[in-house]
Every structure is written in C-alpha cells, then in structure tokens.
Amino acid sequence: MLDIIEKLTQAFGVSGNEANVRSIIQDEITDKVDEIKVDTLGNLIAIKKGKGNSFKKVMLVAHMDEIGVIATYIDKEGFIRFSNVGGVSPYCSLGQRVAFQNGTMGRIFYERKLESLKDLKLEKMYIDIGAVNKEEAEKIVSIGDTACFCGGFELQNGMVTSKALDDRIGCAILIDVINHFPETENEIYFVFTVQEELGLRGAKTAAFSILPDFALSIDTTDTGDTPECKAMEVKCGNGPAIKIIDKSIICHPEVRKGLQKAADTIGVRVQYEVLEYGGNDAGAIHTTAGGIPSGTLSVPTRYLHSSIETISLKDAEETASIVRELIKGSGLH
Amino acid sequence: MDIIKLLEQLSMQNGVSGFEKQLSEFIASEFRQHCDEVQVDHFYNVIGLKRGYSTNPKKIMITAHYDEIGLIVTSIDEQGFVKFSNIGGIDSKILMAQEVIVHGSEELFGIIGAKPPHLLDESQAGIAVKLEDMCIDLGMSVESVKAKISIGDTITFKAYPTELKNSLYSSKSLDNRSGVLTLIMILEQLKGINHRDDVYIIATVQEEVGLRGAEMVAYSTKPDLAIVIDVCYGDTPEVSEDEAFSLGKGVALGVGPNLHKGYTNKAKQLAEELGIGIHIDVNPASTGTEAWAVQISRTGIPTVLFSNPLRYMHTMVETLSIKDIKATARLSVELIKAGVIN
C-alpha cells in the first residue's frame, strides 16, 4: 500500500484539475474491475458487478482533489498574487513551496511591511517563481493556473507524512480494496470524486447517476492528540474512526451499525468521531434523490490542510480491512 | 382529539436531528389513524397519504419537521463529567444550571452545573460561559458513565410542559412539534371533506441541521404544491415588531421570493373570506424553513409557508398559543379544498 500512497499523494490534483491523479488510479485498477468510466464532471467510476438478482448497490467514495492556490494577478516585477482553492490557511502557506501543473515551482512569502502576523491574509502574500518581470512570468504561468503545496513523502515510526493525504489515502484504501477484493454478491461502485474541497460537488452528481442502496465515504478527519489543540477524542493510531456527525451529515444509524459490526467481526478497534466543523462527500450523497443512507469511515489525520498531513499507516490498513468486511455482508437494511 | 394532551406527548418525546427513529413510530401510529397509507422512509421521514377523489389526482405535500435541537456527547473526562457539543442552533447562555437527559444505553438524568458566584472573580462574573467549557454531572462514577454512555450519544433538555393563561402553552421542542400537531389536526379535519387532490402529510427529519429531510421528501414525493408548517418569532420584549408576531392572533403567512405568489395570495384571500386571523411574515430571501429546500427540488415546486408564532425559540420554555395552531390547521385545510391550480 505504501508505494501507491506515495505515488498518489505526490501527484498534482488541485480541485478542478484532477486528471493526473485520475490517470494513476486508472492505470492501477482498469484490469481489475468489470467496468470503468469517467463522468461529465471528471469523477472516475469503477464497477465490480453484483451476482445473482438480489444484490445491493454499494457506493464507496474517496475524493481525488486536494486543496491548493490559484493565480489571480501577475505584477510587473513578475510576482504572482493568488487566491485559495478549498480551505487554505495563510499560516500553513507561509514559506511553502508550490508546484504548478506544468512543473513550475514557486515560493510563497508575505509582504514584509506587515507588522503583525495576526494580520496575515492570503491577499498580503505572493508567489515568487523567480521571473524578472511580468512578461517572463506569463510565459510559464497564466492567470487561473492552479498550484499545489509541495510536501514530501516519508514513513517514520509507523506514521506517514505527505501533502494531500486528504484524501489520496482514501483513494489508496479503495485501490487496496480492489486489489484484495473479497467474495461478495453485492455490486460495488468505486467512485473517485472531484471537487470535494469546493463543496462536495463531484459526489453529488455521481450519487445521482448511481442511486446506490447505501454509500460509504473514506476520508480523513482531524485529531485531538497534538499539544494544546482543540479538544477531540479521535487519536492518530487508535484505529479508524466511525463518523457520527460533521457539518455536512449525521451518519445513518444503519451504516454506522454495519461498520461497527464489520470492525467487531475482524477484531479491529475503532473510534467514534464527532467533528464540530467540516464536511465530507457523504454529506452530498445522503440527501440525493430522495435520500441515500450514507456514512463515513475516517482515517485520523494530524495537520489537515497543510503540507505535512500525517496518518498512522496501521489506521489506513485497518480502514481497508473494515471496508472489505462491510461490503461482503448484506447487514444493511 | 385532546389537543393539549397530544401536544404534550409530542413535545416531551425525544428526537434530536439525525436520531429520530424512536419518535417516528409514535408519529406514524398517529398518522395511521387518519391516512390511507403511511410509510417511514430510510431516514425516518414519516409520510402519510390521504387520497383525493380525482382519478387523475394532483399532489399536495404538507411538511412539518419533527426533529429537535439538542446536544451530543464529545468526551468523558477522568472524573466522569460529560463534555458535549450542540446539534442545531443553541445559545450557550441558556444551558447553565439546566437539567438534561443523556440518551446512553439507558436514559440518564444529568445537570449542567455552574460555578458558584462566590468563586467567580470580576473578569468572570456576568460573562457567558462557552459551551466547550461546560459539562454534565450525572452523579455517577467514571466507570459507570463510560459503561453506559458513548461518544456520539445525544442529550435532550428536561422540560416541564405547562398550560398558561389565554390558551398559551409552554414546553420544549414546540419548534416544531406544534407543526406536527398541526399536521394531525389537518388530517382529522380532512376526514369529513371530499377533496380532489392527493394529500401527502409528512413529518420530516433533520431540519435543524440544514433542511435535509425536506430536501429528500420533496424529491421523492414530487408534489404540485407544497405547504410548509413551521414556527416564527413570537412577540417578545426587545425583538422588533417587524420580526415578531403577537400570539393568539392567527397564522403568520410567509411572503417573499422563497414563496409562491399565486398560492400565497389565495391563502390570504381564503383567510380574509373566512375570518381566519393572519399576519404577513416578510422574508426578503431565505425563510430559514423547509420552504427554502422544497422550492428548488427537481424542476421547482410552488411552496407556501404557514408559521405558528413562538416565543423563546430554541429554549426549554418555548411558548405559543393553541389558537394559532388551530388557525394554521384550518387555513391549510381551506387551501387543500381550493386545490392545485391547473
């Protein structure tokens, strides 16, 4: 699983520009599924066909996109002003390297006249690509180009650190489920979505086209295990987290029960997640077309939306195991 | 029908947004007494159908949400005090020194304690305590708390339903169990009426967290006309008169871009003809009710909004007038009789 996590996290895929990530996933799974297609918005939908005539349609979702920045203005000295794509903190952006899709590297810094970092805002910051003037900059970067944060991949003490673990780890887990696919009658839709970070947009249209019996999103969640952080019970390394609630969804009781049962069956310890902010793809899915029972299994992640997102590899592996067990059964409904 | 008794039963039962399953059974059993068909969907929206006489009927959908605001367990500390977050809009000021019920493996009584005034220094006195700094005391050992309560269990407020003078009534969750009572009253009145259109009477879930149940049922029901029944602000000192309506004077009829002009005018005309009291409730944009979600379902649904004025919204002492509920039920029935405009 490590190789694919590295490959996926290090790829470029700012919301709305997910093609690189999508083609890595296509290369990995095309031979292993019964059907695969890319829909109008760019979601990648892979199907393992159901057997018999009473199978359930199960939608498993992970989003391909990552947060980033977008060039809005190039000044006459060749410095690029930018805005955020998704939730970008000015503090986490300071002193970071960014990469445009064409490989152009930039450095983010701030107007040095700023007296207090409390007043730091993205509009007081810029990207330096080393161009000497506007003309030179415009040869390699255009207004509207997006760039992702750079954040190398490393494994240390069982913890994986990289940019974009939110939510390439979810993509890696779904690929792992395909690679080690369990015996099941159910029809499984593996959906790698676009534009989650802009408001759960890809998942909405994918859910409408599939109309599954139930849906499960695999995503990252915050933790409460770092010095002086906001209180939260979820800890990195304590197992996958069954989401109860976030701002986009109250997870369906039957899906939560199904996840708990699957975890108990294979002897994996889980945590319960009450997230007081944020949303995930299941939020857009569950209100679709009259209502689709949905839930989320989260990989606890430190330093979300930064270039050093950090997870426990064991949590990710156990997440994949629970998903495999869940889709075997007909425990729901 | 004993209106007061039914309102007490509805308000005193528990159904925090997303955790409505138990209450759905009670509401479904009430609906079954009056409907041709009752279904409870995957999310516990309770959908009653009262058929019209037409062989090619149009559909009128009437919704009232039955979820309530509440709290959710976020952690249990080493001494067994329970920390919590909110589900739906709650001002933390109203929580201090309140009684609650924690819905663990059994129902547990708890109190949200407050620091004695003697121990508050000048910087703390008179200042609202933040929700994250409060905790629930169950008077139990940490071991038994952890054995009976899990992260994610819901917490509801303990309320003492009371009849006040002049047909006023006070309890928790009248937002919007008063709407559910209105639905049942509509059903009862429809019994003696030969109406043309099919009427879908729906008690919805998860309104307080984003109009989610209404979004689902509007899609699955696909009505030709929707009536949303909810509460609006009742007259209260320090709330401006254009935002709040006096209790006991009738239905607050919503007007604005969120609502259908033709049907709203029809309702106004019917009220005037029949002497049903109305207030005009002006909403320049979102009404903050299910009407906002229903209106843009599928290709668009003509929607009207009838509200019961309510004082002290989102507290344990929500107060309204039984007279207004009766007026809302009656106006709804009259609009059903008038039917879908072809």
Side-chain angles (χ1 to χ4, degrees):
Chain A
M1 199 168 175
L2 263 185
D3 285 351
I4 188 68
I5 299 174
E6 176 165 9
K7 222 173 181 184
L8 286 169
T9 54
Q10 292 302 301
F12 177 95
V14 176
S15 308
N17 304 270
E18 297 89 351
N20 296 14
V21 178
R22 188 169 56 231
S23 76
I24 292 171
I25 300 172
Q26 278 170 314
D27 289 349
E28 285 290 324
I29 65 172
T30 300
D31 307 343
K32 299 164 190 159
V33 295
D34 300 320
E35 231 177 81
I36 190 162
K37 61 190 171 196
V38 178
D39 75 6
T40 318
L41 264 75
N43 297 304
L44 179 65
I45 302 175
I47 308 167
K48 292 283 266 183
K49 288 280 188 194
K51 293 166 195 157
N53 44 21
S54 61
F55 57 79
K56 299 283 180 204
K57 283 166 79 172
V58 183
M59 177 175 174
L60 302 175
V61 194
H63 68 89
M64 296 188 287
D65 63 315
E66 68 187 296
I67 60 157
V69 295
I70 183 164
T72 54
Y73 177 79
I74 302 175
D75 72 17
K76 58 180 189 298
E77 279 81 34
F79 292 104
I80 300 168
R81 296 290 177 160
F82 64 94
S83 184
N84 60 302
V85 178
V88 172
S89 147
Y91 304 107
C92 290
S93 309
L94 194 56
Q96 294 294 320
R97 290 166 201 247
V98 293
F100 288 88
Q101 196 161 13
N102 64 6
T104 303
M105 296 295 294
R107 307 99 185 154
I108 294 186
F109 222 70
Y110 68 105
E111 297 171 5
R112 300 299 296 275
K113 272 188 182 168
L114 198 72
E115 286 189 357
S116 167
L117 277 187
K118 272 191 184 163
D119 302 327
L120 187 66
K121 287 185 184 135
L122 293 184
E123 64 246 39
K124 301 278 182 198
M125 302 169 78
Y126 55 86
I127 301 169
D128 177 356
I129 58 167
V132 296
N133 56 33
K134 182 171 182 165
E135 204 183 22
E136 197 177 284
E138 282 178 338
K139 282 181 188 155
I140 44 176
V141 172
S142 304
I143 303 305
D145 284 355
T146 55
C148 68
F149 290 96
C150 299
F153 177 91
E154 78 188 44
L155 171 69
Q156 183 173 288
N157 294 334
M159 308 282 271
V160 174
T161 295
S162 174
K163 80 165 180 80
L165 279 165
D166 173 8
D167 182 30
R168 305 288 159 69
I169 191 61
C171 299
I173 287 165
L174 292 192
I175 292 170
D176 191 67
V177 172
I178 293 170
N179 284 336
H180 306 280
F181 194 71
E183 269 301 310
T184 178
E185 307 270 290
N186 295 329
E187 185 147 289
I188 313 297
Y189 292 75
F190 294 90
V191 184
F192 301 89
T193 58
V194 297
Q195 300 192 28
E196 190 270 357
E197 300 290 0
L198 299 182
L200 324 177
R201 296 169 59 76
K204 187 88 195 165
T205 59
F208 190 88
S209 72
I210 295 168
L211 298 178
D213 292 301
F214 72 93
L216 178 71
S217 149
I218 310 298
D219 207 337
T220 52
T221 191
D222 214 344
T223 65
D225 61 352
T226 55
E228 298 297 315
C229 64
K230 203 171 180 327
M232 188 173 172
E233 281 288 297
V234 174
K235 292 181 176 53
C236 231
N238 274 13
I242 297 176
K243 189 187 287 285
I244 311 278
I245 185 170
D246 66 22
K247 286 296 172 212
S248 72
I249 187 171
I250 297 166
C251 292
H252 197 280
E254 294 302 319
V255 179
R256 286 197 278 123
K257 268 188 231 158
L259 287 167
Q260 181 72 63
K261 195 175 138 206
D264 290 345
T265 307
I266 58 172
V268 167
R269 178 173 68 157
V270 291
Q271 318 181 62
Y272 290 154
E273 173 201 345
V274 175
L275 186 66
E276 296 178 54
Y277 38 88
N280 81 99
D281 274 341
I285 297 167
H286 84 295
T287 53
T288 297
I292 296 167
S294 306
T296 305
L297 192 58
S298 304
V299 180
T301 308
R302 289 182 184 166
Y303 321 123
L304 274 171
H305 287 203
S306 81
S307 57
I308 52 162
E309 293 179 337
T310 297
I311 60 157
S312 145
L313 184 60
K314 185 164 159 281
D315 289 344
E317 289 166 346
E318 288 177 347
T319 303
S321 303
I322 293 174
V323 174
R324 264 189 287 274
E325 184 62 29
L326 179 82
I327 61 176
K328 268 195 219 170
S330 53
L332 294 167
H333 314 312
Chain B
M1 181 194 296
D2 185 341
I3 291 174
I4 298 287
K5 186 176 160 217
L6 187 53
L7 186 55
E8 178 174 330
Q9 283 176 320
L10 285 165
S11 88
M12 290 303 284
Q13 296 195 57
N14 299 306
V16 175
S17 311
F19 299 83
E20 299 94 344
K21 184 178 180 179
Q22 202 183 342
L23 182 50
S24 71
E25 291 159 18
F26 176 80
I27 294 172
S29 72
E30 287 295 319
F31 281 12
R32 276 193 199 100
Q33 296 173 32
H34 309 282
C35 290
D36 298 315
E37 263 173 48
V38 177
Q39 278 182 7
V40 179
D41 75 9
H42 285 315
F43 286 82
Y44 308 106
N45 294 298
V46 183
I47 304 166
L49 167 59
K50 182 89 173 57
R51 287 192 204 286
Y53 65 74
S54 170
T55 48
N56 186 21
K58 300 277 181 183
K59 293 177 181 178
I60 300 175
M61 174 177 88
I62 311 185
T63 67
H65 73 88
Y66 75 96
D67 61 316
E68 70 185 284
I69 56 161
L71 306 171
I72 183 166
V73 175
T74 54
S75 67
I76 298 161
D77 78 7
E78 301 87 39
Q79 292 165 286
F81 289 106
V82 173
K83 306 291 277 183
F84 55 84
S85 175
N86 60 304
I87 295 183
I90 293 176
D91 178 358
S92 62
K93 282 202 298 293
I94 68 153
L95 294 177
M96 293 300 279
Q98 290 293 340
E99 302 169 338
V100 295
I101 307 290
V102 183
H103 301 272
S105 59
E106 59 187 276
E107 291 198 348
L108 297 162
F109 177 84
I111 44 179
I112 300 174
K115 207 167 163 182
H118 322 69
L119 301 179
L120 296 175
D121 64 33
E122 272 179 37
S123 69
Q124 295 171 312
I127 303 293
V129 178
K130 285 184 192 159
L131 195 105
E132 65 219 48
D133 295 328
M134 297 180 190
C135 56
I136 294 167
D137 185 349
L138 296 147
M140 287 160 51
S141 71
V142 61
E143 292 78 21
S144 46
V145 171
K146 286 193 170 170
K148 288 175 178 171
I149 296 174
S150 304
I151 308 301
D153 285 347
T154 59
I155 302 157
T156 53
F157 305 123
K158 185 113 177 63
Y160 297 90
T162 311
E163 276 185 75
L164 303 171
K165 300 283 182 208
N166 300 310
S167 301
L168 300 195
Y169 186 83
S170 169
S171 186
K172 80 168 178 73
S173 308
L174 296 178
D175 173 5
N176 185 29
R177 306 281 161 73
S178 62
V180 179
L181 174 66
T182 313
L183 294 183
I184 296 168
M185 290 165 71
I186 293 167
L187 279 172
E188 194 182 59
Q189 291 174 35
L190 284 181
K191 263 185 190 165
I193 291 166
N194 200 15
H195 53 93
R196 184 192 65 199
D197 304 315
D198 282 353
V199 181
Y200 290 80
I201 296 279
I202 307 182
T204 55
V205 298
Q206 300 194 31
E207 187 269 355
E208 299 288 1
V209 290
L211 321 175
R212 293 178 191 158
E215 185 183 342
M216 297 171 194
V217 301
Y219 185 91
S220 59
T221 308
K222 206 180 170 185
D224 300 291
L225 162 64
I227 304 171
V228 170
I229 297 175
D230 207 334
V231 292
C232 62
Y233 306 112
D235 55 337
T236 314
E238 293 181 23
V239 176
S240 80
E241 282 182 27
D242 60 345
E243 280 187 292
F245 305 98
S246 48
L247 304 191
K249 304 262 174 68
V251 192
L253 178 62
V255 299
N258 185 185
L259 303 161
H260 191 270
K261 277 195 182 62
Y263 284 109
T264 300
N265 287 339
K266 181 74 191 169
K268 186 163 176 271
Q269 182 202 330
L270 287 168
E272 281 161 0
E273 281 169 17
L274 298 160
I276 302 169
I278 52 167
H279 312 270
I280 298 299
D281 173 14
V282 180
N283 294 277
S286 170
T287 53
T289 69
E290 295 186 315
W292 193 241
V294 170
Q295 185 188 29
I296 56 162
S297 183
R298 291 187 183 251
T299 56
I301 295 169
T303 305
V304 298
L305 173 63
F306 296 164
S307 301
N308 294 313
L310 177 83
R311 290 180 182 156
Y312 324 121
M313 195 181 289
H314 288 203
T315 72
M316 308 76 176
V317 293
E318 293 182 334
T319 299
L320 49 58
S321 167
I322 301 296
K323 289 180 192 165
D324 295 337
I325 299 177
K326 287 179 179 167
T328 302
R330 182 157 175 233
L331 187 56
S332 305
V333 169
E334 293 301 330
L335 196 58
I336 291 167
K337 279 159 70 180
V340 170
I341 300 164
N342 284 303

